[in-house]
Amino acid sequence: MKKLLIVFIGVLLSACSNDDPKAIKGLEHSDLYLNLKDKGFTDESNVTDLGVSHINQKESFGAKYQVSSIGTSKYLYGYTASVTADYDLSKNIDANQFLQFVTTLPYEGSQPEVIRLWVENNYNETSKDTIIGGVKFELKSPTNFSRLLNVTKQ
């Protein structure tokens, strides 16, 4: 009887687990959008039966910074960060540091300094990607006037 009760409790606990297999483990949706709000970004959220999305935006010195994220009210499934401007971004330190910031939020298995350096070193590459701790980072520079970063769980 004790073994059966222990097995039942184990099954019950795993069924009630708060882990979402589609989510970036250890990074909550609010970790992203609240950090951006603290940096002066606007926050527009959309809640549906399918989930929650946030669009955070900010304009600074003629550049537009945007982060679009999807998930649930708690879990973050992925996000896209972009910078666009009407001038050459190839040497723009602010844009580079913005992309470094949005990649260094801690999650289970993250390596903030490794990914920060990866962004810094690949900022002007046409297209690069890497996986750290089960999270894929894709950095694209389609033109000198834009940068795009996709972050998704693998």
Side-chain angles (χ1 to χ4, degrees), residues 6-27:
I6 290 171
V7 169
F8 175 73
I9 291 172
V11 169
L12 185 62
L13 287 174
S14 67
C16 295
S17 171
N18 288 334
D19 288 343
D20 185 327
K22 297 176 290 217
I24 297 172
K25 238 181 172 159
L27 183 60

Side-chain angles (χ1 to χ4, degrees), residues 8 29-30 32 42 46 58 74 96 98-99 102 114 117-118 122 143 145 151:
F8 175 73
H29 210 153
S30 60
L32 178 62
T42 61
N46 185 25
K58 180 179 180 178
K74 180 174 182 175
N96 193 320
F98 162 70
L99 295 174
V102 296
V114 171
L117 288 171
W118 180 83
N122 292 290
T143 71
F145 309 101
V151 180

Side-chain angles (χ1 to χ4, degrees):
M1 182 67 174
K2 280 186 180 180
K3 284 184 180 180
L4 183 57
L5 183 59
I6 290 171
V7 169
F8 175 73
I9 291 172
V11 169
L12 185 62
L13 287 174
S14 67
C16 295
S17 171
N18 288 334
D19 288 343
D20 185 327
K22 297 176 290 217
I24 297 172
K25 238 181 172 159
L27 183 60
E28 293 190 9
H29 210 153
S30 60
D31 294 334
L32 178 62
Y33 69 82
L34 290 177
N35 269 295
L36 291 166
K37 281 179 74 171
D38 286 347
K39 293 199 171 291
F41 281 72
T42 61
D43 179 41
E44 180 184 321
S45 62
N46 185 25
V47 180
T48 69
D49 292 341
L50 300 174
V52 177
S53 65
H54 285 266
I55 298 175
N56 300 91
Q57 296 181 14
K58 180 179 180 178
E59 290 193 33
S60 180
F61 300 107
K64 182 177 181 180
Y65 299 84
Q66 180 172 308
V67 177
S68 302
S69 58
I70 58 169
T72 66
S73 59
K74 180 174 182 175
Y75 298 108
L76 182 60
Y77 297 159
Y79 56 98
T80 299
S82 63
V83 183
T84 56
D86 58 0
Y87 56 86
D88 188 347
L89 290 170
S90 63
K91 292 183 170 77
N92 187 294
I93 294 170
D94 292 335
N96 193 320
Q97 288 178 341
F98 162 70
L99 295 174
Q100 290 176 42
F101 169 73
V102 296
T103 59
T104 57
L105 295 171
Y107 61 89
E108 192 175 297
S110 67
Q111 297 177 31
E113 185 60 17
V114 171
I115 194 62
R116 187 194 69 73
L117 288 171
W118 180 83
V119 170
E120 182 180 341
N121 293 329
N122 292 290
Y123 175 77
N124 285 316
E125 297 295 327
T126 303
S127 182
K128 287 286 189 176
D129 63 75
T130 190
I131 297 172
I132 297 176
V135 175
K136 185 173 185 178
F137 298 87
E138 297 175 274
L139 181 60
K140 298 180 185 211
S141 304
T143 71
N144 284 342
F145 309 101
S146 64
R147 296 295 182 274
L148 181 67
L149 174 77
N150 289 311
V151 180
T152 54
K153 179 175 188 260
Q154 285 300 285

